[in-house]
């Protein structure tokens, strides 16, 4: 568990590691607010001390249903609120090669071990819970959540320590604009973390496009035979599931924006500038989610269109083969007729007893074949389509 005390210009970590025994003795500084970050296992194990600490800090506790939501690893992105605090559950990308508390029945785990874009096999999501009080932010995340630690490092770096001291002189700032500075209030801190989670989805766009473009090239190449249909189906299912995740995220942020509009205009803890900043950040997060959603939907449409083009091309090639075979059959059909006539068992057949009758028959058959080839060529039945 990690606990941070955040003021207008400085962030300080006051607890790191195991839950302290004197958690109930935490108090709010005069002009600061606290960020309490714990895992689901810690929330489940230390639920009562955390509730006692919240009672001390905020004069209220979490509802039992909201505690259940925070402990539910399969809960989709959603937003809920009470008269005292707001609850946001947001699904973000899980850490690569990190243990997750998500059960193995998660749909994105069903991708085959071989074949298909590796990037789609790396897509896995986990739910992160945010509870926003007036001066306290409680976050509940899965075990080894890299984004929490990464943002905490950036937050501490604003004090001129940690990562800032390790940066090379003159090196460009790797932190995003949304992560710079110290958040003014718990809601601002929550939006910055959510924005970092959405940016992780945006970072997948280039890799997803490259991987699916490779499949499209294989599907449309007439010289290759595509047999990886199971992996393609799994990839399409993964994209569809990612589409549903983005839809839930967008709905949750839209609900948050609507709830933000209902906050009282005259609030001693939130001035007009801070309120406008929350609206701007909320709309920015929503715009990022819509960009991810638009990209995922476009990839789905491209995959579906490519499959249809593949089968249309296969059907076109089959039609060309059948046309060629039909023309060849039509050319040899008169020749078979002539051979059949001269193969009849009649005593008197024209040219049968002539010394040069065989050659006359061959010339007639050759002229007939040449005339048919010329006729079908003029009709473009023997012309290959350009590729």
């Amino acid at each position: 568990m990690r606990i941070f005390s955040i003021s207008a210009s400085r962030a300080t970590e006051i607890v790191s590691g195991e839950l302290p025994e004197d958690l109930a003795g935490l108090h709010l500084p005069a002009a600061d607010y606290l960020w309490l970050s714990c895992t689901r296992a810690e929330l489940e194990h230390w639920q009562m001390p955390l509730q006692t600490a919240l009672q001390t800090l905020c004069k209220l506790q979490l509802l039992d249903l909201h505690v259940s939501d925070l402990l539910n690893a399969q809960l989709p992105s959603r937003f809920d609120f009470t008269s005292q605090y707001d609850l946001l559950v947001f699904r973000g990308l899980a850490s690569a090669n990190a243990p997750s508390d998500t059960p193995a029945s998660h749909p994105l785990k069903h991708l085959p071990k071989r074949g298909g874009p590796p990037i789609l096999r790396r897509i896995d999501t986990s739910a992160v819970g945010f509870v926003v009080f007036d001066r306290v932010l409680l976050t509940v995340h899965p075990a080894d959540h890299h984004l929490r630690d990464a943002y905490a490092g950036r937050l501490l770096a604003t004090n001129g320590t940690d990562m800032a001291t390790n940066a090379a002189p003159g090196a460009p700032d790797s932190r995003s604009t949304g992560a710079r500075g110290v958040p003014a209030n718990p809601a601002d801190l929550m939006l910055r973390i959510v924005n970092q989670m959405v940016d992780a989805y945006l970072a997948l766009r280039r890799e997803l496009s490259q991987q699916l473009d490779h499949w499209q090239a294989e599907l449309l190449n007439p010289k290759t035979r595509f047999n990886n249909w199971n992996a393609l189906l799994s990839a399409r299912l993964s994209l569809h599931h990612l589409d549903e995740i983005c839809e839930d995220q967008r709905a949750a942020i839209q609900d948050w924006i609507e709830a933000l509009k209902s906050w009282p205009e005259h609030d001693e803890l939130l001035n007009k500038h801070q309120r406008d900043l929350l609206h701007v950040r909320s709309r920015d997060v929503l715009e990022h989610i819509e960009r991810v959603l638009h990209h995922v939907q476009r990839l789905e449409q491209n995959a579906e269109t490519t499959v249809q083009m593949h089968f249309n091309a296969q059907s076109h090639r089959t039609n060309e083969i059948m046309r060629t075979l039909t023309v060849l059959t039509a050319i040899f059909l008169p020749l078979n007729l002539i051979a059949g006539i001269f193969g009849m068992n009649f005593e008197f057949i024209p040219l049968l007893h002539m010394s040069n009758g065989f050659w006359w028959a061959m010339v007639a058959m050759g002229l007939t074949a040449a005339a048919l080839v010329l006729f079908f060529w003029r009709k473009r039945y023997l012309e290959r389509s350009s590729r």
Side-chain angles (χ1 to χ4, degrees):
M1 183 174 185
R2 304 182 69 177
I3 301 178
F4 302 85
S5 176
I6 304 174
S7 63
S9 60
R10 185 175 183 85
T12 306
E13 186 170 6
I14 59 178
V15 173
S16 178
E18 295 293 334
L19 193 69
E21 296 180 357
D22 57 345
L23 183 63
L26 285 177
H27 64 280
L28 287 171
D32 298 359
Y33 66 92
L34 295 180
W35 175 21
L36 284 67
S37 177
C38 65
T39 64
R40 290 195 184 89
E42 291 173 341
L43 176 61
E44 185 176 8
H45 188 263
W46 300 98
Q47 179 177 342
M48 293 306 298
L50 280 173
Q51 291 279 43
T52 303
L54 291 176
Q55 179 67 37
T56 302
L57 297 172
C58 308
K59 308 304 180 184
L60 72 155
Q61 296 182 352
L62 295 177
L63 298 178
D64 293 340
L65 291 178
H66 288 166
V67 174
S68 300
D69 290 342
L70 294 174
L71 294 176
N72 186 2
Q74 293 295 319
L75 192 69
S77 300
R78 62 184 297 269
F79 172 77
D80 197 7
F81 64 94
T82 66
S83 59
Q84 301 295 330
Y85 65 85
D86 296 326
L87 172 68
L88 176 68
V89 178
F90 200 87
R91 297 198 69 88
L93 290 176
S95 304
N97 301 324
S100 174
D101 53 4
T102 302
S105 60
H106 199 281
L108 293 179
K109 294 290 188 179
H110 284 172
L111 291 172
K113 295 182 179 179
R114 295 182 180 180
I119 182 63
L120 288 174
R121 296 199 302 272
R122 297 209 315 264
I123 295 177
D124 190 15
T125 60
S126 58
V128 179
F130 300 88
V131 184
V132 183
F133 297 92
D134 290 337
R135 296 180 60 189
V136 174
L137 174 66
L138 172 65
T139 61
V140 181
H141 55 84
D144 297 333
H145 190 56
H146 70 290
L147 185 61
R148 188 276 308 265
D149 297 331
Y151 185 79
R154 293 178 179 180
L155 186 63
L156 295 175
T158 58
N159 303 328
T161 59
D162 296 346
M163 294 189 306
T165 59
N166 299 328
D173 191 359
S174 61
R175 297 172 292 171
S176 65
T177 303
R180 295 172 182 165
V182 179
N185 48 69
D188 188 13
L189 175 59
M190 182 266 292
L191 288 175
R192 295 190 186 207
I193 299 176
V194 170
N195 191 55
Q196 295 295 310
M197 297 171 67
V198 177
D199 286 346
Y201 287 95
L202 289 174
L204 293 176
R205 294 184 302 172
R206 184 175 180 181
E207 293 185 75
L208 285 173
S209 299
Q210 290 178 347
Q211 294 289 349
L212 290 182
D213 287 345
H214 173 70
W215 262 358
Q216 291 175 357
E218 288 187 351
L219 282 169
L220 298 180
N221 189 355
K223 297 182 180 179
T224 60
R225 177 172 294 181
F226 187 83
N227 295 319
N228 209 5
W229 293 106
N230 290 332
L232 177 60
L233 178 60
S234 299
R236 292 175 60 190
L237 292 176
S238 298
L239 287 175
H240 181 68
H241 188 72
L242 191 57
D243 187 3
E244 294 179 349
I245 292 174
C246 293
E247 289 283 0
D248 293 337
Q249 291 175 346
R250 181 171 64 177
I253 296 299
Q254 287 176 341
D255 292 341
W256 156 261
I257 293 177
E258 293 299 324
L260 186 60
K261 295 178 181 178
S262 64
W263 284 14
E265 296 184 0
H266 302 285
D267 191 342
E268 59 181 7
L269 298 176
L270 195 67
N271 56 39
K272 187 177 186 303
H273 174 71
Q274 293 176 348
R275 183 188 303 275
D276 293 339
L277 183 61
L278 289 179
H279 282 285
V280 171
R281 291 196 184 279
S282 300
R283 289 193 295 267
D284 181 66
V285 172
L286 183 61
E287 189 268 338
H288 284 193
I289 295 175
E290 290 178 346
R291 286 168 56 189
V292 176
L293 181 61
H294 172 73
H295 184 72
V296 171
Q297 291 175 347
R298 184 167 61 85
L299 288 179
E300 285 187 279
Q301 294 175 357
N302 288 346
E304 181 69 26
T305 303
T306 304
V307 171
Q308 293 179 0
M309 292 176 62
H310 168 75
F311 285 111
N312 290 336
Q314 290 287 85
S315 177
H316 179 67
R317 286 194 288 267
T318 302
N319 292 337
E320 285 187 339
I321 294 173
M322 293 304 298
R323 184 182 62 182
T324 302
L325 294 178
T326 303
V327 169
L328 292 176
T329 302
I331 291 174
F332 282 96
L333 184 62
L335 308 185
N336 291 333
L337 177 62
I338 295 175
I341 291 175
F342 281 92
M344 292 180 179
N345 294 323
F346 291 103
E347 184 176 356
F348 300 101
I349 297 179
L351 305 178
L352 187 61
H353 296 289
M354 295 178 61
S355 59
N356 57 354
F358 170 77
W359 299 111
W360 281 108
M362 293 299 296
V363 169
M365 295 173 68
L367 291 176
T368 303
L372 290 174
V373 169
L374 180 61
F375 173 77
F376 289 128
W377 183 265
R378 293 292 300 272
K379 291 291 186 179
R380 297 184 178 180
Y381 291 164
L382 292 176
E383 187 180 35
R384 293 188 61 185
S385 61
S386 60
R387 297 188 183 277

